[in-house]
Amino acid sequence: MKAMKIYLDGNFVDKDEAKISVFDHGLLYGDGIFEGIRIYKNCIYRLEEHLERLWYSAKAILLEMPMTMEEMSEAVCESCRQNNLTDGYIRLIVTRGQGNLGLSPESCVKPTVIIIADAIRLYPEEHYTKGLAIVTVPTRRVAPAALDPSIKSLNYLNNVMAKMEAAQWGALEAIMLNDHGYVAECTGDNLFVVHKGAIYTPGVANGALRGITRQAVMDLAASLDIKLEEKNLTRYDIWNADECFLTGTAAELIPVVKLDGRKIGLDGPGPITKKLHAAFHDEVTTHGTMI
Ligand code: PMP
């Protein structure tokens, strides 16, 4: 089998040769940003939105991107072509780059850019029909005052902790509350509830990432004339929801049927979840950039 080609600072190198310095501040301090992107039938879904979010993350951490958005777009497309990837997952990483052991990024001359075009690992299929059982974990989402959750940074340790806590309860995903006890999001997915025909999701001020799939659901709800509002949600709202679902680049839309062992809503995806997921599938091969 042909080795996977990784984009590393302007070159395509074999997976085994794709190495970065131990002095890279992405490794030393989690100083960097990333994106996770899907390609469906040669169409990179909402690539422009992903690049825009990446550029905003860069600006927020005062990281000067070493290339233009057009160049990045081309590098992402070329990564898929190099790997004959027509359907899959693309991980885009930009670190502060190589520096000295000091915390300050001043010693870092140039950001490191990495693009990995790989197969997609979804939740097991049965969870799309039967729904996920998730739990609430003790690890809280980082407060916006500490690190704005809109920054998709390489600092994912609290999400990793939350994911491990979920696994200890046998769950694949977990709800993270914010400092005030409101629902922020899950470890790698945004959360939505449906109540009396309307959709509600936590606002970004509550600690939710500005998910690209979250935005897709907002756009689709508007086009389907379904009311959608950002709202402070507590677990009460989930216990009493008619439907609950998560969104993420890898997950797409996945129904949630249990929280902390309690049944919520129906035994599988509810009518609005189904309608939105179908509409989402309809747009993934058209709403993006062809490679
Ligand atoms: N929240 C977090 C913490 C995430 O890491 C992700 C995945 N990128 C999401 C939400 C979902 O965002 P998106 O739809 O852009 O993948």
Side-chain angles (χ1 to χ4, degrees):
M1 212 174 89
K2 232 179 108 203
M4 180 193 281
K5 294 281 186 195
I6 311 284
Y7 176 97
L8 181 57
D9 288 334
N11 300 306
F12 284 96
V13 293
D14 285 353
K15 183 180 170 188
D16 292 346
E17 304 301 320
K19 294 177 178 149
I20 63 162
S21 166
V22 293
F23 289 94
D24 193 302
H25 279 212
L27 171 69
L28 291 174
Y29 296 115
D31 186 353
I33 51 179
F34 77 103
E35 281 296 319
I37 311 170
R38 283 287 284 279
I39 176 169
Y40 294 89
K41 295 196 171 76
N42 286 317
C43 178
I44 304 181
Y45 181 58
R46 294 192 181 228
L47 177 59
E48 282 178 15
E49 283 99 318
H50 279 284
L51 294 184
E52 184 180 60
R53 185 171 67 181
L54 184 72
W55 253 254
Y56 283 137
S57 293
K59 193 165 180 192
I61 68 163
L62 288 175
L63 186 152
E64 202 173 314
M65 292 295 279
M67 59 210 285
T68 65
M69 231 184 245
E70 291 70 34
E71 286 165 344
M72 186 66 94
S73 175
E74 177 49 29
V76 170
C77 291
E78 188 55 28
S79 298
C80 295
R81 288 186 216 115
Q82 290 272 335
N83 291 287
N84 293 320
L85 194 76
T86 56
D87 288 88
Y89 180 86
I90 304 147
R91 176 59 60 87
L92 182 44
I93 305 145
V94 184
T95 78
R96 188 75 69 176
Q98 187 176 335
N100 60 31
L101 289 180
L103 193 61
S104 166
E106 263 173 39
S107 64
C108 305
V109 187
K110 199 173 138 292
T112 305
V113 180
I114 303 162
I115 304 171
I116 307 168
D118 200 357
I120 175 75
R121 268 178 294 277
L122 299 162
Y123 284 114
E125 180 56 35
E126 71 204 61
H127 296 306
Y128 289 88
T129 48
K130 292 192 186 141
L132 269 182
I134 65 173
V135 292
T136 314
V137 289
T139 296
R140 298 279 168 123
R141 188 75 172 102
V142 169
L147 180 66
D148 199 298
S150 291
I151 305 170
K152 201 161 162 53
S153 87
L154 296 179
N155 277 272
Y156 254 49
L157 199 50
N158 75 317
N159 299 52
V160 171
M161 299 282 284
K163 190 89 180 172
M164 291 192 293
E165 286 164 357
Q168 275 154 1
W169 292 103
L172 293 178
E173 187 50 294
I175 287 184
M176 299 178 80
L177 305 176
N178 65 19
D179 264 2
H180 304 286
Y182 289 111
V183 174
E185 59 177 349
C186 291
T187 68
D189 297 303
N190 289 111
L191 180 136
F192 292 79
V193 292
V194 178
H195 188 65
K196 295 195 172 178
I199 308 171
Y200 302 95
T201 193
V204 290
N206 275 323
L209 179 79
R210 293 171 200 271
I212 303 293
T213 323
R214 175 181 185 270
Q215 185 58 51
V217 163
M218 289 175 159
D219 297 346
L220 292 168
S223 68
L224 293 167
D225 243 351
I226 306 170
K227 186 183 143 199
L228 188 151
E229 252 179 40
E230 289 187 340
K231 194 173 166 238
N232 292 346
L233 297 178
T234 63
R235 291 196 304 157
Y236 170 92
D237 299 296
I238 302 175
W239 297 333
N240 284 302
D242 302 321
E243 299 176 38
C244 176
F245 63 91
L246 311 181
T247 65
T249 291
E252 300 181 346
L253 275 78
I254 188 156
V256 172
V257 290
K258 261 189 185 173
L259 174 63
D260 303 321
R262 280 194 192 206
K263 186 172 173 310
I264 356 161
L266 306 164
D267 287 328
I272 291 188
T273 308
K274 273 191 191 155
K275 202 170 180 179
L276 286 167
H277 202 177
F280 176 81
H281 264 175
D282 284 344
E283 78 158 27
V284 291
T285 48
T286 51
H287 205 112
T289 304
M290 297 303 290
I291 61 169

